[in-house]
Amino acid sequence: MPIDPWSFDTADGTLLAYHVAGAGRPLVCLPGGPMQASAYLGDLGGLPAAAGRALVLLDPRGTGYSAAPADPGTYRCDRQVPDVEALRIHLELERLDLVAHSAGTALALLYAARYPDRVATLALINPTPRAVGLEISDQDRRELAELRRGEPWFADAFAAFERIWSGDATDADWDGITPFTHGRWDAASQALDARGKTERNAEAAAAYYSAGAVDPAAVRSAIARLEVSVLLVAGEYDVALPPNRAAEYAALFPRADLVVQQAAGHFPWLDDPGSFTATLTAFYTAQR
């Protein structure tokens, strides 16, 4: 598990923290949320031990052990690209092996677009479709949700989804569909969900995708020229990025492999740590 945090200065003077798990060449990890502290990632199911690499987990500005910036406008994801570059310089790395989860992949792609020569590999775990303008339809989600019909929580969660699709949702309905986010809606998943509510910076999250943050056409153009190895991991049950749309996502890169982890949701390292770490270990072994 991560040890006590290390810290570094950024271009605007905001002191940011990161945590290190394991030993070896660093894998720099950007959490999702958006704007959630990296603690929810743990050690990604034992990835450091499996891959023989050090996992460097960044707490984005204003989360976890990182300081809040003087300018809240710097919570916008494109304005956090210099934070990733500052971390690279601090770690004295020529290029980064970037691992990013969910909304953190938007930051990873913006970094790769701005600094393509400073990226060695990209591992995108359940990436946000928003960064590349990939539309996920209600029908996409309905078809995937139907696969869970045998679950004991299905009736209530599906009814909440139907109210969302009809435009009659309440805040409770958005919470009600949470089981569809996980491969198993068990005590561990429920604890992770509860933790997310306390470790996410709501003010920062509201600014993350604010106007001007991401130009999907520009991101698509940049990643179409990105000549690095990319791994995209999707969950078989992930309603945020269904496998068929994940295949379209992977096709945007010149050199990307898609792995759909069976019976997994949006947090595949929690659903099956062994399968998840084997996938990433194979990816990094192939780069040697």
Side-chain angles (χ1 to χ4, degrees), residues 160-185:
F161 239 150
E162 289 188 311
R163 287 189 291 272
I164 290 170
W165 294 326
S166 69
D168 297 324
T170 65
D171 289 344
D173 289 323
W174 289 101
D175 282 338
I177 64 171
T178 302
F180 286 115
T181 310
H182 295 271
R184 295 189 312 275
W185 187 233

Side-chain angles (χ1 to χ4, degrees), residues 121-154:
T121 61
L122 273 177
L124 306 175
I125 314 305
N126 304 81
T128 172
R130 188 167 184 167
V132 295
L134 190 64
E135 294 294 331
I136 312 299
S137 70
D138 290 347
Q139 185 59 32
D140 289 329
R141 294 191 169 99
R142 182 183 292 275
E143 291 174 0
L144 206 55
E146 286 281 1
L147 299 178
R148 316 297 298 279
R149 189 166 283 278
E151 301 280 3
W153 46 261
F154 177 85

Side-chain angles (χ1 to χ4, degrees), residues 36-55:
Q36 186 170 341
S38 63
Y40 80 97
L41 297 166
D43 63 357
L44 286 179
L47 181 60
R53 304 287 295 269
L55 192 60

Side-chain angles (χ1 to χ4, degrees), residues 27-31 38 41 44 55-60 87 97-101 125:
L27 301 173
V28 172
C29 189
L30 308 178
S38 63
L41 297 166
L44 286 179
L55 192 60
V56 176
L57 300 115
L58 176 66
D59 280 346
L87 178 56
D97 288 303
L98 279 175
V99 183
H101 176 241
I125 314 305

Side-chain angles (χ1 to χ4, degrees), residues 11-272:
D12 68 353
T14 305
L15 188 68
L16 300 190
Y18 64 96
H19 309 257
V20 180
R25 287 191 295 128
L27 301 173
V28 172
C29 189
L30 308 178
M35 299 307 291
Q36 186 170 341
S38 63
Y40 80 97
L41 297 166
D43 63 357
L44 286 179
L47 181 60
R53 304 287 295 269
L55 192 60
V56 176
L57 300 115
L58 176 66
D59 280 346
R61 51 183 51 219
T63 74
Y65 288 86
S66 289
D71 178 8
T74 61
Y75 286 136
R76 207 174 78 170
C77 64
D78 61 318
R79 293 175 179 165
Q80 294 185 59
V81 168
D83 294 349
V84 182
E85 177 63 359
L87 178 56
R88 182 193 68 83
I89 293 169
H90 170 77
L91 295 172
E92 300 181 342
L93 296 172
E94 182 178 349
R95 297 195 299 164
L96 294 177
D97 288 303
L98 279 175
V99 183
H101 176 241
S102 191
T105 63
L107 177 55
L109 293 181
L110 290 173
Y111 180 83
R114 191 177 304 181
Y115 298 111
D117 295 336
R118 296 173 191 172
V119 176
T121 61
L122 273 177
L124 306 175
I125 314 305
N126 304 81
T128 172
R130 188 167 184 167
V132 295
L134 190 64
E135 294 294 331
I136 312 299
S137 70
D138 290 347
Q139 185 59 32
D140 289 329
R141 294 191 169 99
R142 182 183 292 275
E143 291 174 0
L144 206 55
E146 286 281 1
L147 299 178
R148 316 297 298 279
R149 189 166 283 278
E151 301 280 3
W153 46 261
F154 177 85
D156 289 341
F158 195 75
F161 239 150
E162 289 188 311
R163 287 189 291 272
I164 290 170
W165 294 326
S166 69
D168 297 324
T170 65
D171 289 344
D173 289 323
W174 289 101
D175 282 338
I177 64 171
T178 302
F180 286 115
T181 310
H182 295 271
R184 295 189 312 275
W185 187 233
D186 56 12
S189 297
Q190 292 169 38
L192 184 71
D193 180 63
R195 183 176 193 172
K197 290 180 171 65
T198 63
E199 294 178 345
R200 184 169 176 261
N201 182 328
E203 177 192 9
Y208 190 76
Y209 287 126
S210 56
V214 181
D215 179 348
V219 171
R220 281 181 176 241
S221 177
I223 65 177
R225 303 188 302 271
L226 189 64
E227 292 294 337
V228 302
S229 294
V230 177
L231 172 66
L232 196 157
V233 178
E236 180 186 12
Y237 297 146
D238 187 9
V239 292
L241 183 66
N244 60 331
R245 300 304 177 202
E248 295 178 23
Y249 205 135
L252 299 175
F253 298 91
R255 296 166 50 194
D257 293 323
L258 169 65
V259 173
V260 177
Q261 185 170 312
Q262 299 303 298
H266 199 62
F267 306 89
W269 66 90
L270 187 67
D271 295 318
D272 186 345

